[in-house]
Amino acid sequence: FIPEHSLQLEGYEQLFNGTCHPSDVNGGKVRGLSLCDVGNVSNATDRVTSFLDTSIQQRHFDEMSKAGFEILRLPLGYWNVLDVPAEATPPGVGVDRWQRLQRILPAKSYSEWIDRVFVHAK
């Protein structure tokens, strides 16, 4: 799951509270916070699971349905569906940032929330 600031989801502020990002990674300017930065805090797993519990609830799907929405975009990152070995760091991502992201939760753990989306969307 990719927490998108523009959606202003409940729990977003708590997810990123007290985190900071580097000014650049691999020579590229870093413009804002990412889940890699949440991986720096000791309670990263608790923060992410709390955010997912808060932002994926039946009431959200009921509200979308009432508003007439029939299609839903689920913003997943590849770390949500597969664990990439540390030596296979994706291009443009610093090894340490990638490893912090991967340590928050293993990919198979995200299936709980992916499944919840499909249950609520019925």
Side-chain angles (χ1 to χ4, degrees), residues 1 7-12 49-74 113 116-117 119-122:
F1 294 87
L7 295 178
Q8 299 180 353
L9 295 174
E10 184 180 346
Y12 183 90
T49 58
S50 178
F51 174 75
L52 294 173
D53 286 340
T54 300
S55 61
I56 303 173
Q57 295 183 18
Q58 183 64 53
R59 67 181 171 89
H60 302 126
F61 291 83
D62 294 343
E63 291 170 11
M64 288 184 279
S65 180
K66 281 183 187 175
F69 288 94
E70 295 179 357
I71 297 174
L72 172 72
R73 180 180 72 88
L74 185 58
W113 291 278
R116 189 179 302 175
V117 167
V119 168
H120 292 329
K122 288 185 180 180

Side-chain angles (χ1 to χ4, degrees), residues 106-120:
K108 67 181 178 183
S109 295
Y110 288 101
S111 65
E112 174 183 342
W113 291 278
I114 295 169
D115 291 346
R116 189 179 302 175
V117 167
F118 287 100
V119 168
H120 292 329

